[in-house]
Every structure is written in C-alpha cells, then in structure tokens.
Amino acid sequence: MKIRINSIDYRGSIVDGPGIRTVLFVQGCKHRCDSCHNPNTWEIDAGIWIDVSDLAADIRVKSKNKKLTISGGEPLLQIPALLELIKFLDDFNIVLYTGYELESVPHALLYKLEYIKVGKYENIKSCTTISYVGSDNQQFIHIGRLKYEGC
C-alpha cells in the first residue's frame, strides 16, 4: 500500500505535540483553511507516493525517540494507509492532526493514537495560549487516557 506525502521533518518539533517529535506531512486537503500554515499540502495530486512499509522503516531509523506527529494536509483522506503505517509503528507515541471533528475519526484509527488535534483552523479564533492548536475552537485530546476508560 502507498501513501501520498508532502515531506517529513526529522529535525524535531516541539510545537506539534508533547516532546521532541518527528512530523510527517501528508499530501492533500479539502479544508483549505484561511491562513493555513501549510497550503503547499492542499493539492491532492501533488507530493510523492511512497510505500507505507518503506516510510515506516525510514521513520523507525530516523526518529530516535519514537514520537511521531502526522499532520498535513489532511491525514483522514488516507485512512487505510494511515492504519497500515501506524501498524508498522505500533510502539511509537503518535499524534494525529486533523481538521475534522472527533466523531468523524474512525475508532480503528482513534484508539491507536496517543493524542489527537481535532477541528478546522479558524483564523478569526486564532489562539496562542492553548498548546498544540492554532485556534481556540480546536481541541488537543489525550486519547491514551480514553482507551482505558472505554470511551
């Protein structure tokens, strides 16, 4: 199975979830949020195709602390490939950024995550006081806790 990606940042981000994280930017987004910080990920036919197993192997070698944030673009446009990628990285702490609401995230994906950022970015609600979100309508949720509460 293949996944379409825009880029991978192995330098280590401290703004895309807890800890120092590798960030995978997938390609393709239909939200097209006003003032998006990554509009080069919007075009669905841009980016590069890569085999999921090859991508996982590369991430496993280059992400020394096993912390990965999957952003975009919109990751939920590639659910089957995401599920396969996460299966290969099942010992990683994974954060997913999506513009969709929590109820739109398939449970099969949701419960393989440690954290999720949900909600479309709204420039008029821009916020710098809530960690890991861009606007105050968005939520950053610790899914790890929900797994054990049976939610």
Side-chain angles (χ1 to χ4, degrees), residues 47-99:
I48 60 167
W49 284 108
I50 185 168
D51 188 82
V52 171
S53 61
D54 292 342
L55 176 60
D58 192 57
I59 290 170
R60 188 164 287 288
V61 168
K62 294 179 181 173
S63 180
K64 302 295 184 196
N65 66 357
K66 296 185 177 182
K67 292 185 179 191
L68 175 67
T69 296
I70 303 170
S71 189
E74 176 51 64
L76 293 188
L77 295 180
Q78 301 187 67
I79 292 171
L82 284 181
L83 285 168
E84 186 167 331
L85 177 64
I86 291 169
K87 179 179 74 174
F88 283 118
L89 300 173
D90 64 346
D91 58 332
F92 272 57
N93 175 298
I94 297 180
V95 172
L96 180 79
Y97 274 51
T98 178

Side-chain angles (χ1 to χ4, degrees), residues 1-135:
M1 179 175 292
K2 294 195 179 280
I3 187 168
R4 191 183 293 266
I5 68 167
N6 178 277
S7 61
I8 307 172
D9 183 355
Y10 288 109
R11 295 173 297 169
S13 170
I14 59 170
V15 297
D16 294 296
I20 300 171
R21 310 188 71 82
T22 297
V23 184
L24 169 64
F25 296 95
V26 299
Q27 186 68 38
C29 185
K30 296 178 181 179
H31 299 297
R32 299 181 183 267
C33 300
D34 184 33
S35 297
C36 172
H37 76 282
N38 215 359
N40 60 322
T41 64
W42 288 358
E43 293 306 316
I44 291 177
D45 294 331
I48 60 167
W49 284 108
I50 185 168
D51 188 82
V52 171
S53 61
D54 292 342
L55 176 60
D58 192 57
I59 290 170
R60 188 164 287 288
V61 168
K62 294 179 181 173
S63 180
K64 302 295 184 196
N65 66 357
K66 296 185 177 182
K67 292 185 179 191
L68 175 67
T69 296
I70 303 170
S71 189
E74 176 51 64
L76 293 188
L77 295 180
Q78 301 187 67
I79 292 171
L82 284 181
L83 285 168
E84 186 167 331
L85 177 64
I86 291 169
K87 179 179 74 174
F88 283 118
L89 300 173
D90 64 346
D91 58 332
F92 272 57
N93 175 298
I94 297 180
V95 172
L96 180 79
Y97 274 51
T98 178
Y100 289 102
E101 297 301 324
L102 188 61
E103 40 293 335
S104 297
V105 181
H107 285 212
L109 177 60
L110 187 64
Y111 295 116
K112 295 184 182 300
L113 305 174
E114 191 62 28
Y115 297 91
I116 189 168
K117 190 280 306 172
V118 294
K120 185 176 176 181
Y121 174 74
E122 295 182 22
N123 193 36
I124 196 163
K125 295 180 180 180
S126 181
C127 172
T128 59
T129 59
I130 303 171
S131 297
Y132 315 124
V133 302
S135 57

